[in-house]
Amino acid sequence: MADAALVLTGSPSLAPLLARGALLSPFKRPAPDAEFPRTRLVLPGLRVDLARLAAYERVCGFPTGDDALPPTYPHVLGFPLAMRLMSGRDFPLPLLGLVHTSITITRHQAMPATGAYELTVFVAGLAPHRRGTQATVVTEVREGGDVVWESRSTYLARHRTRRPAEASREEPAEAPREEVRKPLPAVAEWRLAEDVGRRYAGASGDRNPIHLHPLTARLFGFPRAIAHGMWTVARCLAAHGTPDSCHVRAQFRAPVLLPATVTYAAGNGRFELRGGDDRIHVTGDVYPT
């Protein structure tokens, strides 16, 4: 758990954090037993920018004008704080190439878009992964002192590992069971435009170059720009629907190269996004709490 709290007076600007993280990345030495920042970042009195929220709702497929925040939007609010932690000198994983592998979300109640909230973000720990080291970042949202929304995201830094036996700790326990489940029935086919990454970046602030343009994506080994993982989850949840009080789990399994045609499938509280070759991009489930 985090040790000390640092209270912020405003949400950090993402652009300089991305630049700092990129500059420091070559000097990072990731390892599961490395030291990591113990600071708990706290941002009180946060108000939602309603124009930015509407842009987010449009690009993700949520209805606009609802008083309640979409279930994934608090991740956008907390992302600058997470980036401040992950771009710092004391965070051992390089920001460049860091892969968002999973997220779990618990929403305890509907969250009015006009409410005032307190954000808390901290690094919960590091763990070995058969492909490198994985960090867990926790985001909490409070209203009137009570936690109304919380999430745990895992981020993977790929590097050579010395202990292959620890590969069993690579993924949450539910992943192997998901592999043997029957395919979910197709619900809709979505044609994703080449500019989805840029439009989501404009609404969310996440301007990672792998999402913006084929040329910048190629610098990181992708033949074309890829969709944001959090956009794919948000788009699935917009189609699936979520109760006011719910728990969401999602795993990012393969990138979506843009433009693309994908199939949204769902059933019995589960959802997935498949490519034209039946490659699984995202799996997840939703259930009331």
Side-chain angles (χ1 to χ4, degrees), residues 172-214:
E174 67 270 19
R177 292 198 300 271
E178 287 186 350
E179 295 294 340
V180 299
R181 289 177 176 177
K182 293 182 179 180
L184 295 173
V187 176
E189 183 177 270
W190 298 333
R191 295 187 178 184
L192 311 182
E194 184 269 340
D195 67 345
V196 164
R198 292 191 293 275
R199 291 193 291 122
Y200 182 82
S204 69
D206 183 355
R207 299 184 183 278
N208 187 320
I210 63 176
H211 304 301
L212 303 181
H213 193 275

Side-chain angles (χ1 to χ4, degrees), residues 21 26 56 60 67 73 90-91 94 101 115 129 138 141 188 216 242 254 262 272 280 285:
Y56 177 88
C60 295
D67 186 46
Y73 196 68
D90 54 352
F91 186 72
T101 54
H129 186 288
V138 174
V141 182
T216 54
T242 53
V262 295
E272 65 186 21
I280 304 296
D285 54 44

Side-chain angles (χ1 to χ4, degrees), residues 95-106:
L95 193 62
L96 287 182
L98 204 61
V99 179
H100 196 181
T101 54
S102 73
I103 186 169
T104 63
I105 294 171
T106 302

Side-chain angles (χ1 to χ4, degrees), residues 17-29 86-96:
L17 295 179
L18 286 168
R20 180 178 71 174
L23 290 172
L24 292 176
S25 287
F27 304 101
K28 298 298 181 74
R29 298 293 180 266
M86 293 191 290
S87 66
R89 293 183 180 276
D90 54 352
F91 186 72
L93 309 187
L95 193 62
L96 287 182

